[in-house]
Amino acid sequence: MFERYTKEFRYNTKLAVPVIMGMLGHTFVAFADNVMVGQLGTAELAAVSLGNSFVFIAMSLGIGFSTAITPLVAEADGAGNPVGAKSALKHGLVLCSLLGVTLFVLILLSKPFMHIMQQPPEVVALAIPYLDLVAFSLVPLIIFQAFKQFSEGLSQTKYPMYATIIANVVNVILNYLLIFGSFGFPKMGIVGAAIGTLVSRILMVVYIWYLLKSKEKFHSYVTSFNFKKIENRVMKTIVGLGFPSALQMFFEVAIFTAAIWLSGVLGKNAQAANQIALNLSSMTFMFGMGLGVAAMIRVGNQKGLQNFPELRRIAQSIFFLTLLIEVVFAILFLLGRHWFPTLYLDINDLANLADNTEVLELSAQLLLVAAFFQISDGIQVVVLGALRGLQDVKIPTAITFVAYWLIGFPISYYLGLHTTLKSTGIWIGLLTGLTASALMLYLRFNYLTKQLIADGEQSIKKTKNDIT
């Protein structure tokens, strides 16, 4: 029985691993920032957390919007339509560039909110100059996303991975030089981390374009764009898919951002512990994200071929693989919840011993809850990827809003600020929202695919009757 699903594991993994590595690359930038900045103190770590909370909201909109390119390219590729694939990239680049600039400006305008959010004053003072540079890095990041989603739509998932790995190496080197003032470079603290992030993201765009351009197979796709000829039909299609997809990711990222802000109300140590648990959870989440992209690609291909029974079987094989992987991560979080947080802080720093000890204890409590939501988080993002492959985005957007903001957030708010659970209560709310999302999205996928198969069978019967 399981063989019809497990036989897909190898190809699904082959597709997903480069995406996972690329996604981990984005998270590793944050991990490197957090680990290096954490050596400066808990206030600096909390400042990076607060600054990134604004960036993550904007980034979720940009990355979510760009995912519209992948199913369009995958469907065009499955149907043997290279012109359609290039058109999706060209129009996607225009929209992603405009969106990147818009989000940068909106973040700059939102900075005054930091002063009215009841965040620790020393944290806000450190976060504002950090935010300016990291916000600008969104422009090249979202342009990179357009190339990335296009490449993945053609089942070429390794090129974005190469670009991300190189960018990460540059980021870590610049962090080391500029945060601590090594080898004669100026000691810039968390602003040095922001410069490293900005330079690395510019490099990602340049490298992925050069890589695709240098390959004969893809050269014609990424050169000779006629930006004077913009088709309203294609723009509307991408916006129609991209806007709901952006909202889906926004609703999820925003609730985690709300967790950062709620933790800030509890104090800088609660916020630092939240950042540690969130960063660790983000890294394991990237495995689900990568498998979600594999689901989007393969479902998009099968949609192009109109083979709905195979589409359902392939998608379910990816869901099953995700479940197995996430159970392993849950076990790792349970076993390592006391050790993992020690990577982020200097436990030998006697001057900050009391703060660091409290952060380590709080982080271990949060990772206990995070261990359980690994499974829900992984399943929901993979099913969401499959639904995007079907180009079904409106109902899933409503589902994510209900799950995170009508179910998850009220629980986080009440348990976090009005009970003794505090930080743990905030994360129990996150767990509840993710579980509700996973359940409702799977029911949506199950209903849609059964309906498509039934409609296909009915169409075949009708064709046979017409022939006879």
Side-chain angles (χ1 to χ4, degrees):
M1 176 185 173
F2 289 117
E3 189 183 350
R4 64 193 300 262
Y5 301 115
T6 56
K7 69 180 181 180
E8 298 293 335
F9 281 8
R10 186 172 182 179
Y11 183 67
N12 291 338
T13 303
K14 183 182 176 183
L15 263 185
V17 165
V19 182
I20 291 167
M21 296 301 290
M23 295 283 187
L24 279 173
H26 288 313
T27 313
F28 189 76
V29 169
F31 174 75
D33 287 353
N34 287 328
V35 169
M36 292 186 182
V37 168
Q39 309 308 305
L40 301 175
T42 57
E44 284 81 1
L45 183 59
V48 169
S49 174
L50 180 60
N52 280 334
S53 70
F54 284 80
V55 175
F56 288 157
I57 289 178
M59 189 190 298
S60 70
L61 291 169
I63 292 177
F65 185 87
S66 71
T67 59
I69 298 168
T70 300
L72 294 175
V73 173
E75 185 178 4
D77 187 40
N81 179 15
V83 174
K86 181 171 182 175
S87 177
L89 172 61
K90 181 182 80 172
H91 291 81
L93 278 171
V94 171
L95 289 168
C96 284
S97 299
L98 292 172
L99 183 59
V101 173
T102 302
L103 291 172
F104 165 59
V105 172
L106 287 175
I107 290 177
L108 293 186
L109 294 175
S110 70
K111 284 193 297 181
F113 283 105
M114 283 191 182
H115 295 286
I116 59 174
M117 287 166 50
Q118 300 181 48
Q119 303 298 300
E122 70 269 33
V123 171
V124 174
L126 289 166
I128 287 178
Y130 172 83
L131 181 59
D132 290 338
L133 289 169
V134 177
F136 184 65
S137 76
L138 280 176
V139 179
L141 176 65
I142 296 171
I143 294 172
F144 168 79
Q145 280 296 130
F147 284 111
K148 175 181 180 291
Q149 301 296 154
F150 161 77
S151 182
E152 289 171 356
L154 292 178
S155 302
Q156 300 296 325
T157 54
K158 59 186 179 181
Y159 298 134
M161 177 188 72
Y162 295 154
T164 307
I165 289 172
I166 287 174
N168 281 331
V169 172
V170 171
N171 180 66
V172 170
I173 292 170
L174 288 176
N175 273 1
Y176 180 72
L177 296 174
L178 298 176
I179 291 174
F180 305 113
S182 305
F183 297 102
F185 281 81
K187 184 177 180 179
M188 303 178 74
I190 65 173
V191 173
I195 292 172
T197 300
L198 173 60
V199 172
S200 67
R201 286 176 175 170
I202 292 171
L203 181 63
M204 280 199 302
V205 178
V206 174
Y207 186 73
I208 196 171
W209 178 79
Y210 172 77
L211 200 57
L212 291 169
K213 177 177 173 288
S214 63
K215 304 293 178 184
E216 187 178 343
K217 185 178 178 181
F218 306 109
H219 180 84
S220 60
Y221 284 108
V222 298
T223 56
S224 303
F225 288 119
N226 182 7
F227 287 111
K228 292 180 180 178
K229 186 180 179 183
I230 299 296
E231 299 177 50
N232 286 333
R233 176 186 58 83
V234 182
M235 295 287 269
K236 285 180 181 177
T237 300
I238 295 175
V239 171
L241 287 173
F243 183 65
S245 296
L247 286 180
Q248 290 163 12
M249 192 168 284
F250 168 75
F251 291 146
E252 181 175 359
V253 170
I255 192 173
F256 281 94
T257 302
I260 293 172
W261 294 345
L262 290 175
S263 298
V265 174
L266 298 176
K268 70 173 184 178
N269 289 344
Q271 193 173 57
N274 183 84
Q275 179 65 7
I276 290 172
L278 182 59
N279 189 237
L280 286 166
S281 300
S282 296
M283 283 190 278
T284 55
F285 176 66
M286 294 308 147
F287 285 77
M289 284 278 282
L291 287 162
V293 171
M296 184 162 43
I297 294 166
R298 298 207 67 190
V299 166
N301 287 156
Q302 295 303 318
K303 184 175 183 292
L305 294 168
Q306 297 288 294
N307 190 343
F308 298 115
E310 188 70 355
L311 181 156
R312 180 179 167 87
R313 183 187 67 82
I314 287 170
Q316 288 182 327
S317 77
I318 301 176
F319 302 162
F320 184 37
L321 176 60
T322 304
L323 176 63
L324 296 176
I325 290 171
E326 297 299 343
V327 166
V328 172
F329 285 138
I331 294 169
L332 284 175
F333 271 50
L334 286 172
L335 296 177
R337 66 185 186 276
H338 293 288
W339 176 75
F340 287 131
T342 63
L343 298 173
Y344 291 79
L345 298 168
D346 183 0
I347 56 177
N348 297 315
D349 181 4
L350 296 178
N352 294 300
L353 182 61
D355 283 341
N356 288 348
T357 302
E358 185 182 356
V359 170
L360 291 175
E361 289 174 359
L362 286 172
S363 300
Q365 293 170 20
L366 299 185
L367 289 177
L368 184 63
V369 182
F372 291 98
F373 83 39
Q374 296 300 306
I375 297 168
S376 299
D377 204 11
I379 294 295
Q380 65 86 22
V381 75
V382 172
V383 179
L384 200 52
L387 288 168
R388 284 176 184 155
L390 283 171
Q391 298 179 27
D392 177 54
V393 290
K394 291 181 181 178
I395 299 296
T397 300
I399 287 172
T400 53
F401 175 76
V402 170
Y404 300 135
W405 288 97
L406 299 187
I407 298 174
F409 179 72
I411 294 172
S412 286
Y413 182 84
Y414 176 74
L415 294 181
L417 300 188
H418 298 284
T419 74
T420 56
L421 288 169
K422 295 188 177 179
S423 294
T424 303
I426 293 171
W427 278 61
I428 289 172
L430 297 178
L431 168 62
T432 308
L434 289 166
T435 304
S437 176
L439 218 63
M440 290 189 285
L441 288 171
Y442 181 76
L443 290 173
R444 172 67 178 170
F445 174 83
N446 191 50
Y447 167 77
L448 271 185
T449 50
K450 283 185 174 179
Q451 190 68 47
L452 287 168
I453 291 168
D455 290 347
E457 288 173 350
Q458 192 173 355
S459 178
I460 291 169
K461 284 180 184 176
K462 186 176 182 300
T463 303
K464 285 181 178 178
N465 289 336
D466 289 345
I467 292 171
T468 54

